[in-house]
Amino acid sequence: MSATHEQPHAMGHPTFKQYALIAIILFLITIVEFLLIYDKAGIDDRLGVSKIPLLIVLSAVKFAIVIMFYMHLKFEARLLSGIFLAGLGLAFAAGIALIFLFVGFGAGPREFAQANAVPYAGHEVEAAQEPETTAPAGPVVVQIGVVGDTLAFDADHFTASAGSEVVLTFNNGSGVNQHNWVLVQAGTKDDVAAAGLAAGADNGWIPQGDARVLAQTSLLDPGGSEEIRFTLEAGTYQFVCTFPGHNLSMFGDFEVTP
Ligand code: CU
């Protein structure tokens, strides 16, 4: 309870005893609600659907008690209660209107909605363009570039499905820097870059015959571009530029889903 609540209240205030009594009443109502739906209590079957209005009334009583006493509306100016209840009433009205509009209270769509529904014209076109699901998925075409002359790729995450051929085009749009794009086993991008440094510029800063390297472009001069193709098993991989120092900021994840 906050300090302001401790001060004398112009509009009166429930005592602790009253609060406790209210809590007990709420608890008792909850027990009754529970017995209504608990199948082992034996009431459940006999009531059938009629337990729904009963439950609604019980929860409405609980709600009223909570907003009157715990939320204090009983002790506030009537205007405040009016504002609260008006919003609540509006929300209920909107909900009920929507239920009537779309489904009614029956199980199926209402006749009006059914009769006036406009079929979405795009379905047939889309169905025609969908690849056959039984055939192997086509190649996954992805593009990656760099952010100006900074040491950053313009993407840090790719996804593809296992077994699909990936056709990746790397565009080195930098006006000054050389870059490559190297796909490596997860968690190895810095080690591979270090090995690339040892391999030297003649190898495009990429270690040769390294099992951690799964796919690679060559070292591209500024403005250069290269397309590579590869297919992966499910797993998460990394990509990196192995030009000395670039691995610290030029890397990302390549996720292959089963
Ligand atoms: Cu680079």
Side-chain angles (χ1 to χ4, degrees), residues 96-160:
I96 289 168
L98 283 170
I99 290 172
F100 270 115
L101 183 60
F102 288 109
V103 292
F105 283 103
R110 281 196 51 172
E111 283 158 28
F112 177 86
Q114 234 168 5
N116 291 277
V118 179
Y120 173 49
H123 282 320
E124 284 170 33
V125 181
E126 279 172 18
Q129 286 172 346
E130 265 172 35
E132 285 186 29
T133 47
T134 47
V140 179
V141 179
V142 290
Q143 301 250 354
I144 186 166
V146 293
V147 180
D149 293 331
T150 64
L151 301 182
F153 286 120
D154 63 5
D156 62 5
H157 189 82
F158 289 107
T159 53

Side-chain angles (χ1 to χ4, degrees), residues 5-145:
H5 271 123
E6 309 287 5
Q7 290 158 10
H9 215 283
M11 304 293 287
H13 208 294
T15 62
F16 176 79
K17 261 189 186 171
Q18 282 171 313
Y19 273 130
L21 184 67
I22 292 159
I24 291 168
I25 292 170
L26 290 172
F27 182 67
L28 290 176
I29 295 176
T30 305
I31 288 183
V32 172
E33 286 175 330
F34 179 73
L35 289 175
L36 285 179
I37 57 165
Y38 186 53
D39 51 2
K40 283 175 190 159
I43 312 170
D44 183 48
D45 294 336
R46 261 175 271 168
L47 285 177
V49 186
S50 64
K51 64 177 168 284
I52 291 172
L54 275 175
L55 287 168
I56 290 174
V57 169
L58 287 172
S59 62
V61 169
K62 284 207 300 191
F63 180 76
I65 293 175
V66 169
I67 63 167
M68 279 196 302
F69 293 95
Y70 290 154
M71 287 175 66
H72 221 250
L73 277 184
K74 191 179 188 325
F75 309 97
E76 302 290 353
R78 298 198 66 166
L79 176 65
L80 294 179
S81 304
I83 291 171
F84 181 85
L85 292 174
L88 192 71
L90 208 59
F92 266 108
I96 289 168
L98 283 170
I99 290 172
F100 270 115
L101 183 60
F102 288 109
V103 292
F105 283 103
R110 281 196 51 172
E111 283 158 28
F112 177 86
Q114 234 168 5
N116 291 277
V118 179
Y120 173 49
H123 282 320
E124 284 170 33
V125 181
E126 279 172 18
Q129 286 172 346
E130 265 172 35
E132 285 186 29
T133 47
T134 47
V140 179
V141 179
V142 290
Q143 301 250 354
I144 186 166

Side-chain angles (χ1 to χ4, degrees), residues 114-214:
Q114 234 168 5
N116 291 277
V118 179
Y120 173 49
H123 282 320
E124 284 170 33
V125 181
E126 279 172 18
Q129 286 172 346
E130 265 172 35
E132 285 186 29
T133 47
T134 47
V140 179
V141 179
V142 290
Q143 301 250 354
I144 186 166
V146 293
V147 180
D149 293 331
T150 64
L151 301 182
F153 286 120
D154 63 5
D156 62 5
H157 189 82
F158 289 107
T159 53
S161 49
S164 297
E165 184 175 40
V166 178
V167 181
L168 179 136
T169 305
F170 174 40
N171 299 303
N172 179 8
S174 170
V176 291
N177 294 313
Q178 288 185 314
H179 296 294
N180 59 22
W181 188 92
V182 183
L183 186 74
V184 300
Q185 297 285 6
T188 66
K189 59 120 178 152
D190 292 326
D191 293 340
V192 170
L197 185 62
D202 290 344
N203 290 313
W205 306 109
I206 299 170
Q208 302 300 295
D210 190 316
R212 295 169 296 185
V213 175
L214 304 166

Side-chain angles (χ1 to χ4, degrees), residues 178-180 241 243 246 250:
Q178 288 185 314
H179 296 294
N180 59 22
C241 172
F243 190 97
H246 293 193
M250 297 185 75

